[in-house]
Amino acid sequence: MEKNHLKFVALSRLFQKHPQFKTLENLKMYYPKEYTDLVVAHQRQQSPGLIISLMRQESSFNTQTVSPVGARGL
């Protein structure tokens, strides 16, 4: 399991149980900068924030994710 995925799962559980921990610093870990930079560099008309949020929701930033219908990764 990827490091980013484990971090996402841990932070998701933390934020659900203790919303007071949704600080700017913790949210930076929840939305890894490496992916933000990649999306911003390649974005066209879509909001980078929307794309990053979809990546987080759909794959937890796990590049090895495969959906039941074959969609892959981020």
Side-chain angles (χ1 to χ4, degrees), residues 36-43:
T36 303
D37 291 345
L38 180 68
V39 168
V40 168
H42 292 91
Q43 66 109 0

Side-chain angles (χ1 to χ4, degrees), residues 1-20:
M1 195 173 279
E2 284 189 19
K3 182 174 118 180
N4 281 331
H5 180 71
L6 292 174
K7 190 186 309 181
F8 170 79
V9 170
L11 286 170
S12 292
R13 290 180 182 153
L14 176 70
F15 293 159
Q16 286 175 356
K17 293 180 180 181
H18 305 282
Q20 71 271 23

Side-chain angles (χ1 to χ4, degrees), residues 24-69:
L24 181 58
E25 200 59 38
N26 288 340
L27 286 171
K28 287 179 183 177
M29 290 188 289
Y30 203 54
Y31 295 93
K33 184 169 174 35
E34 64 208 65
Y35 299 111
T36 303
D37 291 345
L38 180 68
V39 168
V40 168
H42 292 91
Q43 66 109 0
R44 291 180 174 69
Q45 295 177 5
Q46 301 82 7
S47 162
L50 174 63
I51 296 169
I52 293 292
S53 294
L54 286 170
M55 291 165 62
R56 181 189 52 81
Q57 185 64 36
E58 296 296 324
S59 70
S60 306
F61 299 106
N62 181 352
T63 59
Q64 304 303 310
T65 297
V66 180
S67 79
V69 296

